[in-house]
CSV table of all heavy atoms in Angstrom, one decimal:
chain,number,residue,atom,x,y,z
A,63,ASP,N,13.1,11.1,41.9
A,63,ASP,CA,14.0,12.0,41.1
A,63,ASP,C,13.3,12.7,40.0
A,63,ASP,O,14.0,13.3,39.1
A,63,ASP,CB,15.2,11.2,40.6
A,63,ASP,CG,16.0,10.6,41.7
A,63,ASP,OD1,16.1,11.2,42.8
A,63,ASP,OD2,16.6,9.5,41.5
A,64,CYS,N,12.0,12.8,39.9
A,64,CYS,CA,11.4,13.4,38.8
A,64,CYS,C,11.7,14.8,38.5
A,64,CYS,O,11.6,15.3,37.4
A,64,CYS,CB,9.8,13.2,38.8
A,64,CYS,SG,9.0,14.3,39.9
A,65,ASN,N,12.2,15.5,39.6
A,65,ASN,CA,12.6,16.9,39.4
A,65,ASN,C,13.8,17.0,38.5
A,65,ASN,O,14.1,18.1,37.9
A,65,ASN,CB,12.9,17.6,40.7
A,65,ASN,CG,14.0,16.9,41.5
A,65,ASN,OD1,14.2,15.7,41.3
A,65,ASN,ND2,14.7,17.6,42.4
A,66,LEU,N,14.5,15.9,38.3
A,66,LEU,CA,15.7,15.9,37.4
A,66,LEU,C,15.3,15.9,35.9
A,66,LEU,O,16.1,16.1,35.0
A,66,LEU,CB,16.6,14.7,37.6
A,66,LEU,CG,17.3,14.6,39.0
A,66,LEU,CD1,18.0,13.3,39.2
A,66,LEU,CD2,18.2,15.8,39.2
A,67,LEU,N,14.0,15.8,35.6
A,67,LEU,CA,13.5,15.9,34.2
A,67,LEU,C,13.7,17.3,33.7
A,67,LEU,O,13.8,17.4,32.4
A,67,LEU,CB,12.0,15.5,34.2
A,67,LEU,CG,11.7,14.1,34.4
A,67,LEU,CD1,10.1,13.9,34.5
A,67,LEU,CD2,12.2,13.2,33.3
A,68,LYS,N,13.8,18.3,34.5
A,68,LYS,CA,14.0,19.7,34.1
A,68,LYS,C,15.5,20.0,33.9
A,68,LYS,O,15.8,21.0,33.2
A,68,LYS,CB,13.4,20.6,35.1
A,68,LYS,CG,11.9,20.5,35.3
A,68,LYS,CD,11.4,21.4,36.4
A,68,LYS,CE,9.9,21.2,36.6
A,68,LYS,NZ,9.4,21.9,37.7
A,69,THR,N,16.4,19.1,34.4
A,69,THR,CA,17.8,19.4,34.2
A,69,THR,C,18.6,18.3,33.6
A,69,THR,O,18.8,18.3,32.4
A,69,THR,CB,18.4,19.7,35.6
A,69,THR,OG1,18.1,18.6,36.5
A,69,THR,CG2,17.8,21.0,36.2
A,70,LYS,N,18.9,17.3,34.4
A,70,LYS,CA,19.8,16.2,33.9
A,70,LYS,C,19.2,15.4,32.8
A,70,LYS,O,19.9,15.0,31.9
A,70,LYS,CB,20.1,15.3,35.1
A,70,LYS,CG,21.0,14.1,34.8
A,70,LYS,CD,21.3,13.3,36.0
A,70,LYS,CE,22.3,12.2,35.7
A,70,LYS,NZ,22.6,11.3,36.8
A,71,TYR,N,17.9,15.2,32.8
A,71,TYR,CA,17.2,14.4,31.8
A,71,TYR,C,16.3,15.2,30.8
A,71,TYR,O,15.5,14.6,30.2
A,71,TYR,CB,16.3,13.3,32.5
A,71,TYR,CG,17.2,12.3,33.3
A,71,TYR,CD1,17.0,12.3,34.7
A,71,TYR,CD2,18.1,11.5,32.7
A,71,TYR,CE1,17.8,11.5,35.5
A,71,TYR,CE2,18.9,10.6,33.5
A,71,TYR,CZ,18.7,10.6,34.9
A,71,TYR,OH,19.5,9.8,35.7
A,72,LYS,N,16.6,16.5,30.7
A,72,LYS,CA,15.8,17.3,29.9
A,72,LYS,C,15.9,16.9,28.4
A,72,LYS,O,14.9,16.9,27.7
A,72,LYS,CB,16.3,18.8,30.0
A,72,LYS,CG,15.4,19.8,29.2
A,72,LYS,CD,15.9,21.2,29.4
A,72,LYS,CE,15.1,22.2,28.7
A,72,LYS,NZ,14.4,21.8,27.4
A,73,ASP,N,17.1,16.6,27.9
A,73,ASP,CA,17.2,16.1,26.5
A,73,ASP,C,16.4,14.9,26.3
A,73,ASP,O,15.7,14.8,25.2
A,73,ASP,CB,18.7,15.9,26.2
A,73,ASP,CG,19.5,17.2,26.1
A,73,ASP,OD1,18.8,18.3,26.0
A,73,ASP,OD2,20.7,17.1,26.1
A,74,GLN,N,16.4,13.9,27.2
A,74,GLN,CA,15.7,12.7,27.0
A,74,GLN,C,14.2,13.0,27.0
A,74,GLN,O,13.4,12.5,26.2
A,74,GLN,CB,16.0,11.7,28.1
A,74,GLN,CG,17.2,10.8,27.8
A,74,GLN,CD,17.5,9.8,28.9
A,74,GLN,OE1,17.9,10.2,29.9
A,74,GLN,NE2,17.1,8.6,28.6
A,75,LYS,N,13.8,13.8,28.0
A,75,LYS,CA,12.4,14.2,28.1
A,75,LYS,C,11.9,14.9,26.8
A,75,LYS,O,10.9,14.6,26.2
A,75,LYS,CB,12.2,15.2,29.2
A,75,LYS,CG,10.8,15.6,29.4
A,75,LYS,CD,10.6,16.7,30.5
A,75,LYS,CE,9.3,17.4,30.4
A,75,LYS,NZ,9.2,18.5,31.4
A,76,ASP,N,12.7,15.8,26.2
A,76,ASP,CA,12.4,16.5,25.0
A,76,ASP,C,12.3,15.6,23.8
A,76,ASP,O,11.4,15.7,23.0
A,76,ASP,CB,13.4,17.6,24.7
A,76,ASP,CG,13.4,18.8,25.7
A,76,ASP,OD1,12.4,18.9,26.4
A,76,ASP,OD2,14.3,19.6,25.7
A,77,GLN,N,13.2,14.6,23.8
A,77,GLN,CA,13.1,13.6,22.7
A,77,GLN,C,11.8,12.8,22.8
A,77,GLN,O,11.2,12.5,21.8
A,77,GLN,CB,14.3,12.6,22.8
A,77,GLN,CG,14.3,11.6,21.7
A,77,GLN,CD,15.5,10.6,21.9
A,77,GLN,OE1,16.1,10.5,22.9
A,77,GLN,NE2,15.7,9.8,20.9
Side-chain angles (χ1 to χ4, degrees):
D63 295 333
C64 77
N65 61 332
L66 295 176
L67 290 171
K68 297 176 184 175
T69 56
K70 184 176 180 181
Y71 299 111
K72 185 180 182 328
D73 289 342
Q74 277 183 281
K75 177 185 168 189
D76 290 345
Q77 180 184 14

